[in-house]
Amino acid sequence: MIGRTAAAELDAADPLAGLRHRFDLPDGVIYLDGNSLGALPRAVRPAVLDLLDRQWREDLIRSWNTNGWWDAPGRVGDRIGALIGAGPGQVVACDGTSVNLYKVLDAALTMRPDRSVIVTEPENFPTDRYIAASVAERRGATLRLCDPLDVASALDETVAVCCLTHVSYRTGRMYDMAAVTGAVHDVGALAVWDLAHSAGAVPLALDADGVDLAVGCGYKYLNGGPGAPAFVYVAGRHQADFRQPLTGWHGHARPFAMAPDFEPDAGVRRALVGTPPMLSLAALEAALTAFDGVDLAAVRAKSVSLSELFIALVEERAEDFVLASPREAAQRGSQVCFEHPEAYAIKKALAEWDVIGDFREPAILRFGLAPLYVRHVDVWDAVDRLVDVTETELWRAPRFRERDAVT
Ligand SMILES: Cc1ncc(COP(=O)(O)O)c(C=O)c1O
């Protein structure tokens, strides 16, 4: 059996171990849900307090100029860009992932006027499917659902855009971004990626892979806090043709000219809509400093090490749980998922024992492994408690069967 000492030895040799101190984690909690809501970076509290006490209270509206509020969407966007392999001037932090997805899919149809098919996959995150269906309906296009494991066979010259989530929210299955983007380009279509479960956890190379458009989430592995602004990537070569449907004044070339008609900004700011939520944006900006000096390749190496340990321990000690994530590390993002008929009750019982994961329909226990603050001993302790919860059948207690609004 892999002992706790072996896990502790992996932590002792972990080059990223010191990063955990950049987070303000509650004592005794094993947090394996950073893929849903990232933990609180220590840099956030002082930044938000500064925004409240100095920038807002004292500097008031002058802050748009003097405290860099106006430039914040692009400045934060560039910081995110550095984590996803995007050069400066191609990413803005704004709105939510769902809203941004609407913008980029609608813009993509406009960029391919002679085509009318949006391809996505049936297991994509619900918001992605709903938004794609809505864009298709409103634009008179067709939504084509592809085989998640064989995207290429759904691609042909009628396809305007193929929209996929890079790492599956449910199973952690990860696409080969370069290969799929290449196949999409081979039929002349545009590749849109949802990076919700990738940004900050998996090394990405949007520019090098030739990605056209992308969206992603600020509150998962980027740790921007509940409801943090999301982001949009528009490859530089497409910016002049990128016409998104929500033509708000922050996307205007000269917002304070108060011109009667909309004229888009020359660059990626045309993806903006309205006034940014500065409290949230300041929190996200501060949160991103947790990545300062961090090599994403090292993050990935630790993520693989954590997930391999998790899988090995569960298969050794809790054989009722069936691996729902790909076994091959190269095909997995930074989460591991297991199927169990009582997954929901077990997830709730585990939370009472301070192991926080989550549940996804129909019977999946999902554990996110945020390498900046999750340790190998956390994985070992989590599996130990999982074994306890199942062996003692603690999960049978009625309180663990009651469904909460958020699972
Ligand atoms: C793949 C994916 N896209 C989008 C979202 C959420 O979008 P929003 O922030 O607009 O709620 C999630 C949330 O978990 C997600 O997993």
Side-chain angles (χ1 to χ4, degrees):
M1 182 175 125
I2 306 163
R4 195 175 191 279
T5 316
E9 280 165 8
L10 290 172
D11 288 330
D14 171 17
L16 304 183
L19 299 176
R20 184 173 162 88
H21 296 295
R22 295 185 180 181
F23 292 84
D24 193 353
L25 295 156
D27 287 339
V29 172
I30 298 176
Y31 193 58
L32 303 177
D33 216 356
N35 54 325
S36 253
L37 173 66
L40 172 66
R42 288 189 196 278
V44 168
R45 184 175 289 107
V48 171
L49 288 176
D50 180 60
L51 193 133
L52 290 174
D53 295 338
R54 184 181 61 82
Q55 302 181 34
W56 181 10
R57 181 179 173 277
E58 291 174 17
D59 296 348
L60 289 160
I61 201 161
R62 291 171 290 190
S63 287
W64 286 105
N65 293 313
T66 60
N67 287 312
W69 292 1
W70 184 259
D71 297 326
R75 190 174 64 243
V76 178
D78 280 346
R79 258 189 185 274
I80 295 170
L83 298 175
I84 61 173
Q90 300 179 103
V91 180
V92 276
C94 59
D95 303 312
T97 310
S98 307
V99 173
N100 287 335
L101 197 59
Y102 194 98
K103 294 186 235 173
V104 302
L105 286 180
D106 189 88
L109 285 180
T110 303
M111 290 157 75
R112 289 289 180 275
D114 49 343
R115 295 170 175 228
S116 60
V117 174
I118 301 176
V119 169
T120 191
E121 55 115 338
E123 292 167 18
N124 203 346
F125 187 73
T127 213
D128 299 57
R129 285 180 284 135
Y130 306 155
I131 295 279
S134 173
V135 172
E137 185 187 331
R138 281 155 201 277
R139 295 291 306 266
T142 306
L143 186 62
R144 182 183 294 168
L145 298 179
C146 64
D147 176 345
L149 301 178
D150 180 16
V151 178
S153 64
L155 301 173
D156 58 34
E157 268 71 28
T158 64
V159 176
V161 52
C162 174
C163 169
L164 298 169
T165 295
H166 179 232
V167 172
S168 160
Y169 79 101
R170 228 162 56 82
T171 64
R173 180 176 42 76
M174 181 164 69
Y175 280 109
D176 179 335
M177 184 177 281
V180 175
T181 300
V184 171
H185 288 171
D186 284 346
V187 298
L190 296 165
V192 169
W193 290 98
D194 180 338
L195 309 176
H197 295 273
S198 316
V202 177
L204 294 165
L206 265 65
D207 288 349
D209 290 346
V211 171
D212 300 294
L213 305 163
V215 298
C217 191
Y219 53 77
K220 298 179 187 291
Y221 294 103
L222 299 182
N223 312 303
F231 62 90
V232 185
Y233 164 86
V234 182
R237 66 185 179 283
H238 290 311
Q239 288 178 3
D241 297 328
F242 180 83
R243 302 297 300 245
Q244 58 110 339
L246 303 173
T247 49
W249 70 306
H250 278 239
H252 197 281
R254 293 171 309 283
F256 284 90
M258 305 288 167
D261 297 316
F262 184 77
E263 181 194 331
D265 178 82
V268 72
R269 279 188 73 99
R270 63 175 54 196
L272 300 180
V273 181
T275 307
M278 278 312 304
L279 284 165
S280 299
L281 199 49
L284 173 60
E285 183 165 24
L288 291 169
T289 64
F291 285 92
D292 282 356
V294 174
D295 173 8
L296 262 294
V299 170
R300 174 64 180 164
K302 182 173 175 190
S303 158
V304 169
S305 174
L306 291 167
S307 59
E308 296 278 282
L309 177 66
F310 210 126
I311 293 168
L313 285 168
V314 168
E315 295 196 332
E316 194 180 85
R317 301 186 58 195
E319 57 193 21
D320 290 353
F321 292 83
V322 178
L323 183 66
S325 301
R327 184 168 298 276
E328 182 62 47
Q331 291 168 18
R332 232 176 25 234
S334 202
Q335 69 184 57
V336 285
C337 306
F338 299 93
E339 273 183 50
H340 189 287
E342 297 296 340
Y344 183 74
I346 291 170
K347 168 244 150 174
K348 263 189 110 169
L350 270 179
E352 202 166 279
W353 284 24
D354 280 342
V355 176
I356 301 182
D358 62 20
F359 164 85
R360 286 295 176 264
E361 295 286 356
I364 287 190
L365 260 170
R366 192 173 75 147
F367 300 102
L369 304 167
L372 268 51
Y373 51 84
V374 173
R375 300 166 299 191
H376 294 85
V377 287
D378 295 326
V379 167
W380 199 93
D381 291 341
V383 176
D384 200 44
R385 289 182 212 176
L386 182 71
V387 171
D388 275 349
V389 162
T390 23
E391 280 181 2
T392 58
E393 301 201 340
L394 179 76
W395 54 266
R396 286 194 188 276
R399 68 182 182 286
F400 297 133
R401 293 173 172 278
E402 281 161 26
R403 287 288 172 117
D404 297 324
V406 175
T407 62

